[in-house]
Amino acid sequence: MRLTPRKEEIQVVKDILESDEYANADQMAKALIKAVADALWMRDWYGVGTKFREDDPFWLPYGPFASESEALQTVNKYGSGVVARTTKLYSPGRLVAFHEGKDWPGYCRTCKHDATWHMQDGSSRGKCVSCPACKKFKK
């Protein structure tokens, strides 16, 4: 899998590496693994379904792939003679964050929900549809 680190993912790792809060390398390693897993949990991924004939009812799923392009390139390289389709796998972290909120870049600093949960107010985002206390989206 080709993975291009994103700005917010890099920042999470840098914060841990530059921190003095860990007593030893084991504690820091555990914190890094958890932080990277949490950051990757917030990503959307792609999957590929393959089958040997168009009329075959069974699909074999493969993934995740970091981009649709990577998924298609992999199928083209290794899947000669198969029927293949790609699909977007929406982030499980975003699903949870839609309901519980999350302190994450691009999310509201007041209610911790995604911008899409805030109604349009002129040219900006207004109140949150799931959190009555949040009157305006704050970056």
Side-chain angles (χ1 to χ4, degrees):
M1 172 178 19
R2 287 179 297 214
L3 188 68
T4 303
R6 297 178 180 161
K7 182 176 80 173
E8 59 271 8
E9 296 164 351
I10 292 169
Q11 189 59 51
V12 166
V13 172
K14 282 174 50 180
D15 290 346
I16 292 171
L17 292 174
E18 294 170 352
S19 171
D20 293 330
E21 112 183 35
Y22 304 99
N24 58 47
D26 285 347
Q27 286 181 355
M28 184 178 279
K30 287 177 187 177
L32 279 168
I33 290 168
K34 287 179 180 181
V36 169
D38 188 49
L40 295 177
W41 199 50
M42 294 299 288
R43 281 189 176 210
D44 292 335
W45 298 92
Y46 290 84
V48 173
T50 62
K51 57 185 182 176
F52 295 106
R53 296 183 325 271
E54 191 65 53
D55 62 341
D56 190 348
F58 301 106
W59 290 88
L60 297 172
Y62 296 94
F65 296 93
S67 69
E68 187 173 23
S69 168
E70 179 190 11
L72 289 170
Q73 287 173 5
T74 303
V75 168
N76 290 337
K77 185 173 183 179
Y78 301 110
S80 124
V82 299
V83 177
R85 303 281 187 276
T86 63
T87 188
K88 189 171 190 171
L89 306 172
Y90 290 97
S91 158
R94 292 193 191 276
L95 175 65
V96 172
F98 280 149
H99 299 285
E100 296 178 3
K102 181 160 180 69
D103 187 12
W104 188 252
Y107 280 55
C108 179
R109 296 292 148 223
T110 303
C111 67
K112 309 289 189 224
H113 286 112
D114 184 86
T116 59
W117 276 80
H118 292 75
M119 296 192 306
Q120 200 67 30
D121 183 14
S123 62
S124 64
R125 296 281 179 175
K127 69 178 198 166
C128 182
V129 295
S130 68
C131 180
C134 181
K135 301 298 181 200
K136 186 142 183 86
F137 180 80
K138 292 180 185 159
K139 283 188 177 183

